[in-house]
Amino acid sequence: MDRDLFSHIDTDLNSISYLSLNYDHFDSALSSIVSSPSAAPTPPGPNDSLVLRELIGRLGTICNNKSASVGAVDHSANTSCYSTPLSSPPKSSLHPLPNMNPNPNPMPFAPDPGFADRAARMPCFGGGPHMAMSGQLSRVSSSQSLMDAGMTGGVQLEGELPVRENGSGGRGANNGRKRKAGVKGKGKEASLASSGTVNSKISEEDQSAKRCRPDCKAGEKKGGTEEKNGNCSENNNGDRENKNDSDSNNANAKPVEPPKDYIHVRARRGQATDSHSLAERVRREKISERMKLLQDLVPGCNKVTGKAVMLDEIINYVQSLQRQVEFLSMKLATVNTPSDVNMDNLLQKDMPQACSGSMQQPLYRSAFSYPNQPQVAPLNSLLATNSIPNLGMQPSSNLPFDGFGNANPQIGGFWEDDLQSVVQMGFGQNQEAALSSQSFQGSGPSSSDMKIEL
Amino acid sequence: MENPLSEARQHSQTIIEERGKRIKLAAEIGLARSSSGRHWARALRRRLYRKPPQREYIVKNPTPLLKKEVPLVAEVVADVAEEKEEIEDKVKALQRLVPGGEEMEVDRLFEETADYIEALREQVGVMRALACILDGMESRDGDKL
C-alpha cells in the first residue's frame, strides 16, 4: 500500500540517481550505436543487415540499461520496457564483459519508433533455412524478451524456437546472407539473445554484438556441433531476427506465439551445451549482473574486482548502515528535547499512528504545537540541508518536498496523510490535547527529570 | 549506602538505553514500511512484531579475506574449492544480515540486498536529519526550560 503511494516517486527517485550513473552508458551507447555502422568489420554484403540488427539490439538495451541498474522489480514505469513471460523479477543475462570503450564523438540519436518496424521488415532479416538448425538449440530456462522502450513499436526479442520458426516462415528472404554470418557465436551474443532480459549495461551488448560477428565468421571455419552452429546462426540473426520477428509480427498483427517459460541460452564456443551447464551459466550471469548493481550502490567498489572482495564490501556496508541506524537511535534517545516531544510514543506498536513508523510525527506535533517555536522555516532549512547531503539520492525538483522540505519521499511520503492531520491537530489544538491522545509510555516526565539531574 | 547520584545516573542511563531501543524499533518499523513490497521488508516486519521489542540486532562479522598466494598448479583445484567456500561463507554472512535472507537464493539475495541498502541509506538520512533538528531545538530552547 505504501508502495502504491510513491511507486512513481520511487521510480523518479531511482531514475534520478541512476540516470546520472547510467548517463555515461547511455551516452556512449548511443554514440557507439550511431558510429558502429562505420566501424562494423563486415563485408559489404551482409553489412547493412547486420548493422541494423546490431542497432536494434543495442537500442533494445538502452531502456533496459536504465531500468536494470535501478535494481527494483516493481517499477511501473519500467515494466513496460519488458515483456517477460514470467512474472518473476526481470531476468538479465550479463556477462562480465569489460567496459565499453567510449566513443570519441557522441552524436545525438533519437530512437526512431518506426525503426524497428522498418528494420524488421527488411528482407535481410530472413532466416528460413537456419530455423532447421536452430531446432537443436537446447532450451534451458525461461524465455527472454527484450523490448526497447525507446521504440514504441515494441521490439520484442523472443528466444522461443517456435516463434523464430514462425517468423522465419513469414520472411524467407535473404537467407543466404545470414548463412554466411551465422556460425557459432562466441556466446557473448548469448546475453543479447538468450536470457537477455533486462540486461545490462550497453557496453556488454556492444561487445557482444561486435564480437559475435567476427566470431561467427571464425567459427565457421572450425568444426563445431551442429547445435553450436545453429546457436550462432541464431545468435547473429535469430535474436535480432526474433526481435524483428516479433516486432513485425506485432506490426503486422500476426499472432505471436505466447512465450514459453524457458530461458534460451546460447552455448558458447568450447562450452558444454547440456542443460545443466547452460542453466548454471544463466545463473552465473544473473548473479554477476546483480553484483554489478550492488557495486554501484556500495560506495568505493568500482575498482574492486572479484566476488569475494565485493561480497566483503557489501557485507561491511550493510553492517555499517545497520550500525548507523543503531547509533542514531541511541543518539536520538539522548537528545534532550523539550518535554513535549515524545518520540517513543511512536514506538508503541499497538498504536496505529505509531506503527506507521513515522518517527517524525511527534517532532512535527511538537514543532507545530510547541508554543515557543515561532516559525517552521528554520525547521525547513534544517531538514533540507541535513537530509540532502545525508540521503544517497540527490534530490532535485522531482522529489516531492512536503511542508518540511523533507527530501526523503520514500519515508516521508507515505505518511503525508498523517502529516496533514498532524498539522491540523498541532496548529488547531493545544499541545497537550494533541499529545494526550497518545498513550504515554512514561518516559516523558522522566526525561525532563532526567534533564534536571544531568 | 549507595550513592543516590550514581543510582540516579544508572537509572537515567537505563532510561536512555530503553529509549534508544524503542527508537530503533520505530526506525526499523519505518524502514520495513517504507518498502513494504519487498521480501526483506516483510521478513523484517515479521521479526519485529514477533519478538519482544528489546531484541537486539545480531550483526555477524564477516569471514576475513583469505590471502591468496600465487597458486601452484597442483593447488589450483584446492584453491578453487577454497575460494568457493569462502564465497559461500560470505554469502551466508550476507544472508544473516539482510532480513529474510536465509530463505533466498543468491541472485534474489543480491537484489534484496540492493533494495535493503537503499532503504537503509534513506533511513539513516532521515534519522540524521531528525537528530540535527532535535539538536537545534535543544540548543535553541534548552536554556529556556
Side-chain angles (χ1 to χ4, degrees):
Chain A
M1 51 163 175
D2 300 327
R3 233 6 188 196
D4 305 330
L5 288 177
F6 52 82
S7 61
H8 65 287
I9 301 174
D10 200 19
T11 308
D12 287 342
L13 200 60
N14 283 315
S15 49
I16 291 168
S17 58
Y18 289 109
L19 204 50
S20 51
L21 288 174
N22 295 335
Y23 182 73
D24 301 333
H25 301 284
F26 198 90
D27 199 16
S28 36
L30 288 179
S31 56
S32 69
I33 285 178
V34 174
S35 58
S36 66
S38 53
T42 57
N47 190 13
D48 299 337
S49 59
L50 287 171
V51 157
L52 275 169
R53 270 179 244 122
E54 186 180 346
L55 279 172
I56 293 174
R58 289 182 189 177
L59 280 172
T61 61
I62 289 183
C63 166
N64 295 336
N65 179 24
K66 181 156 71 150
S67 38
S69 51
V70 162
V73 178
D74 306 326
H75 286 274
S76 52
N78 291 331
T79 50
S80 58
C81 295
Y82 322 127
S83 53
T84 56
L86 299 185
S87 55
S88 59
K91 304 163 289 299
S92 35
S93 67
L94 270 201
H95 302 271
L97 289 177
N99 284 331
M100 60 183 299
N101 32 1
N103 200 290
N105 42 345
M107 284 165 55
F109 183 87
D112 183 7
F115 181 85
D117 284 340
R118 283 182 255 126
R121 294 195 197 110
M122 286 187 62
C124 59
F125 293 103
H130 294 282
M131 292 310 103
M133 290 206 294
S134 70
Q136 278 131 23
L137 175 65
S138 59
R139 288 185 188 193
V140 178
S141 32
S142 54
S143 70
Q144 47 156 359
S145 34
L146 261 181
M147 191 154 154
D148 185 0
M151 304 185 172
T152 57
V155 180
Q156 257 192 357
L157 176 62
E158 294 192 357
E160 268 73 36
L161 292 179
V163 176
R164 286 188 216 107
E165 279 153 11
N166 288 343
S168 63
R171 296 289 151 78
N174 239 350
N175 303 328
R177 277 199 220 158
K178 282 177 91 176
R179 260 242 189 125
K180 217 195 287 185
V183 191
K184 43 187 182 176
K186 244 299 164 71
K188 302 299 185 183
E189 188 73 340
S191 66
L192 180 61
S194 63
S195 42
T197 53
V198 182
N199 199 355
S200 48
K201 321 274 183 172
I202 300 190
S203 57
E204 287 160 312
E205 294 300 310
D206 287 341
Q207 300 282 3
S208 65
K210 277 182 184 160
R211 257 180 229 156
C212 191
R213 268 177 281 118
D215 286 341
C216 282
K217 296 234 151 58
E220 191 172 2
K221 314 248 164 75
K222 316 207 174 165
T225 65
E226 234 179 0
E227 195 170 357
K228 288 186 185 166
N229 285 336
N231 288 344
C232 182
S233 72
E234 264 189 304
N235 269 347
N236 267 336
N237 317 316
D239 304 331
R240 298 188 176 103
E241 160 193 318
N242 290 334
K243 268 194 274 191
N244 303 322
D245 281 345
S246 353
D247 178 58
S248 66
N249 280 344
N250 293 337
N252 301 333
K254 282 185 199 166
V256 178
E257 186 159 330
K260 301 208 174 25
D261 286 351
Y262 299 101
I263 288 182
H264 291 263
V265 186
R266 303 294 167 200
R268 298 187 219 208
R269 219 168 86 200
Q271 282 194 355
T273 56
D274 57 318
S275 61
H276 289 295
S277 51
L278 280 173
E280 184 60 32
R281 190 155 62 88
V282 166
R283 195 174 148 267
R284 273 201 303 268
E285 287 166 4
K286 258 198 249 179
I287 290 179
S288 58
E289 179 220 348
R290 303 266 157 82
M291 291 260 310
K292 284 202 174 66
L293 278 176
L294 281 172
Q295 213 170 11
D296 287 337
L297 267 184
V298 178
C301 261
N302 300 325
K303 320 148 201 159
V304 172
T305 53
K307 251 184 158 183
V309 184
M310 261 304 302
L311 275 174
D312 248 12
E313 285 297 312
I314 294 167
I315 288 172
N316 285 336
Y317 191 57
V318 171
Q319 273 181 335
S320 78
L321 283 176
Q322 287 172 351
R323 273 187 243 121
Q324 272 185 37
V325 169
E326 202 164 331
F327 166 76
L328 281 170
S329 58
M330 276 298 162
K331 176 165 186 208
L332 285 170
T334 62
V335 164
N336 275 334
T337 64
S339 59
D340 55 350
V341 174
N342 299 310
M343 275 185 296
D344 46 272
N345 277 343
L346 293 188
L347 306 179
Q348 292 320 301
K349 291 184 290 189
D350 44 346
M351 287 181 50
Q353 290 159 338
C355 287
S356 70
S358 51
M359 304 175 46
Q360 308 191 20
Q361 216 177 23
L363 167 69
Y364 293 145
R365 286 180 196 268
S366 67
F368 280 114
S369 58
Y370 191 64
N372 295 334
Q373 190 86 343
Q375 67 284 353
V376 191
L379 213 58
N380 282 347
S381 54
L382 259 180
L383 256 176
T385 52
N386 286 317
S387 53
I388 286 178
N390 287 338
L391 291 182
M393 328 260 183
Q394 288 305 311
S396 67
S397 55
N398 292 352
L399 289 184
F401 276 73
D402 61 15
F404 283 100
N406 188 355
N408 186 349
Q410 202 173 33
I411 295 186
F414 78 94
W415 37 262
E416 258 168 11
D417 301 333
D418 295 342
L419 194 56
Q420 287 173 7
S421 58
V422 166
V423 169
Q424 288 159 13
M425 282 179 65
F427 269 131
Q429 297 176 9
N430 194 0
Q431 69 180 43
E432 274 109 26
L435 294 175
S436 62
S437 63
Q438 308 175 7
S439 65
F440 188 61
Q441 207 22 237
S443 67
S446 51
S447 70
S448 57
D449 295 338
M450 191 170 59
K451 206 185 308 179
I452 297 172
E453 288 166 9
L454 295 175
Chain B
M1 189 145 146
E2 294 199 29
N3 190 352
L5 197 55
S6 69
E7 207 178 279
R9 270 203 214 103
Q10 281 171 15
H11 175 65
S12 56
Q13 190 66 30
T14 315
I15 289 182
I16 291 181
E17 282 170 9
E18 285 297 309
R19 275 188 88 192
K21 286 177 191 163
R22 282 195 291 267
I23 289 173
K24 184 172 174 199
L25 181 69
E28 287 182 331
I29 291 174
L31 186 66
R33 285 185 62 114
S34 71
S35 309
S36 53
R38 283 285 178 169
H39 181 93
W40 66 261
R42 288 193 297 269
L44 182 61
R45 283 190 85 170
R46 278 195 299 269
R47 177 166 67 87
L48 290 173
Y49 285 99
R50 193 186 344 131
K51 301 270 189 147
Q54 285 78 24
R55 185 185 181 281
E56 292 291 328
Y57 226 121
I58 297 180
V59 175
K60 294 255 167 110
N61 292 323
T63 57
L65 260 185
L66 296 174
K67 299 291 182 193
K68 291 201 73 172
E69 311 114 15
V70 177
L72 299 177
V73 173
E75 294 174 346
V76 167
V77 173
D79 271 352
V80 166
E82 217 175 54
E83 184 182 326
K84 271 189 197 156
E85 187 185 316
E86 169 185 332
I87 291 184
E88 286 274 331
D89 289 341
K90 294 194 204 294
V91 168
K92 281 193 199 120
L94 188 62
Q95 272 179 333
R96 286 191 291 264
L97 279 181
V98 176
E102 281 91 355
E103 312 141 10
M104 283 189 270
E105 288 294 324
V106 182
D107 49 357
R108 183 115 184 267
L109 175 71
F110 283 169
E111 195 180 321
E112 294 285 319
T113 303
D115 193 73
Y116 185 56
I117 286 178
E118 279 180 33
L120 271 179
R121 272 160 50 156
E122 289 172 4
Q123 183 73 36
V124 165
V126 167
M127 289 173 80
R128 269 204 206 130
L130 192 58
C132 282
I133 291 168
L134 291 181
D135 269 349
M137 281 175 59
E138 177 188 18
S139 60
R140 198 176 22 235
D141 308 316
D143 39 347
K144 293 183 193 172
L145 295 168

